[in-house]
Amino acid sequence: MAGIQVKRSIEPGSMDAQVAARAVRRIKDYLMRHPEKEVIPVSGEVGNEEALILPRDAVSLLAYILAQAAEGRGVSVVPSHAELTTQQAADMLNVSRPYLIGLLEDGAIPYRMVGKHRRITVEDLMAYKRRDDLKRRSAADDLAALGQELGI
């Protein structure tokens, strides 16, 4: 990718929402009509240039990014192996930095030390988030079931 400027984030509202929404509709329609295709040829709307061939998962990710942009939200693409500071990780979980450090020290999320600083991979942070979300859903289901038993 030498010499090519690659964007890794889109600021909220920086993309034309109507264009993004149109692209999402077209991508979703194509994927629904061709569920068996693992690679997607992308042709220009005009001209007869050679089609760009993309993996289905990349096209699905692009549709998600465009859907967020169509709603005026910003998006960042971060590799799963990327390492975050404790503040970045806390921001992603929407918790305070001291709370996150407690999770790290309790062993809930793996981390490594770089000098005096803790680093957390995006992959480990998202694994914790999935586990935590499952626990919260399970607790909410238990409360709902208890409420039904008690007639509340």
Side-chain angles (χ1 to χ4, degrees):
M1 297 256 211
I4 297 175
Q5 183 72 9
V6 178
K7 277 191 91 143
R8 294 190 179 146
S9 65
I10 298 169
E11 294 299 315
S14 67
M15 187 180 291
D16 185 320
Q18 290 179 333
V19 172
R22 178 175 175 260
V24 170
R25 285 191 304 272
R26 292 191 66 199
I27 290 170
K28 286 183 176 181
D29 179 54
Y30 184 91
L31 293 175
M32 286 174 57
R33 285 186 289 121
H34 303 283
E36 75 292 345
K37 286 200 171 196
E38 288 302 314
V39 292
I40 312 299
V42 180
S43 308
E45 291 185 306
V46 258
N48 53 1
E49 265 191 60
E50 186 177 325
L52 175 64
I53 306 298
L54 299 174
R56 184 181 192 86
D57 287 346
V59 173
S60 293
L61 179 59
L62 177 60
Y64 174 78
I65 291 168
L66 289 167
Q68 297 305 305
E71 294 179 17
R73 296 187 185 120
V75 179
S76 294
V77 177
V78 181
S80 60
H81 68 277
E83 290 187 320
L84 304 169
T85 66
T86 52
Q87 187 60 60
Q88 290 169 324
D91 291 346
M92 286 182 77
L93 293 179
N94 201 25
V95 299
S96 70
R97 186 175 165 277
Y99 180 80
L100 176 84
I101 290 171
L103 291 172
L104 298 176
E105 290 176 353
D106 290 345
I109 304 170
Y111 68 97
R112 73 182 187 102
M113 296 297 291
V114 177
K116 296 181 192 177
H117 305 283
R118 297 171 184 88
R119 295 292 183 261
I120 305 106
T121 65
V122 171
E123 189 172 39
D124 287 336
L125 188 68
M126 291 298 101
Y128 167 79
K129 186 171 178 3
R130 283 189 296 274
R131 288 190 311 271
D132 189 56
D133 288 347
L134 281 172
K135 277 197 288 190
R136 288 174 194 268
R137 264 189 245 122
S138 178
D141 291 346
D142 291 347
L143 282 173
L146 182 60
Q148 285 184 337
E149 284 178 26
L150 298 174
I152 297 175

